[in-house]
Amino acid sequence: MNKESIRKSVLLSVTALVSLALVFGCAAPKAAPGAKPDKVVIHHFGDLSGPYAAITASAVAGFEDFAEWYNSQGGIDGVPIDDMFRDTGGKLDAALAAYSAFKESKPYPIVTILYGSAESESLRERFIEDKIFCFTGGP
């Protein structure tokens, strides 16, 4: 596979995952009229400076392209999506720190995307306990 076909595959996968998160997240009971947030933040972290940087870079770029396109279509009921990314360098301690920082952010994370299986496995129980929906690209 060449770089272009890999990038297209990653973009398609990220688009499908985010779309599913948005569909299921938006299926919750409707908030009171006029209670729309300024934006919906999708948190994600992964390795942009370590051994998996080549894989993660295209996924992050694909997500940014998707967010730009999705917002041009009106976002979620008129509310734009935004992302908050943190480079963990392939280090588990950096992933744990990123998770803690995201968990404390305002608004509270409703969905997170991870790009490494070690981080996903290590944080699995925390995501369940904290009721944060998580997609992972790791095996």
Side-chain angles (χ1 to χ4, degrees):
M1 287 176 101
N2 62 28
K3 284 185 178 182
E4 185 62 28
S5 65
I6 291 172
R7 182 179 171 137
K8 286 181 182 178
S9 297
V10 169
L11 179 59
L12 181 61
S13 298
V14 169
T15 301
L17 290 174
V18 171
S19 297
L20 284 172
L22 296 174
V23 166
F24 288 111
C26 294
K30 296 235 181 228
K36 287 184 185 179
D38 294 332
K39 62 184 172 182
V40 172
V41 180
I42 298 175
H43 298 79
H44 56 134
F45 58 86
D47 179 4
L48 276 182
S49 60
Y52 297 110
I55 298 167
T56 305
S58 60
V60 172
F63 181 83
E64 290 171 355
D65 290 346
F66 167 77
E68 183 180 333
W69 171 82
Y70 196 76
N71 289 335
S72 75
Q73 304 301 306
I76 303 169
D77 196 22
V79 178
I81 62 171
D82 195 7
D83 73 307
M84 185 178 291
F85 178 80
R86 192 159 177 181
D87 178 16
T88 58
K91 297 179 177 114
L92 186 54
D93 59 337
L96 295 171
Y99 178 83
S100 294
F102 286 169
K103 187 178 145 196
E104 299 302 318
S105 68
K106 302 292 182 216
Y108 190 78
I110 57 171
V111 63
T112 299
I113 301 170
L114 301 184
Y115 303 111
S117 56
E119 293 98 344
S120 302
E121 193 59 34
S122 297
L123 290 166
R124 182 182 185 278
E125 295 303 319
R126 291 185 190 188
F127 279 112
I128 294 169
E129 180 180 318
D130 297 331
K131 296 182 177 25
I132 300 172
F133 194 80
C134 177
F135 285 112
T136 182

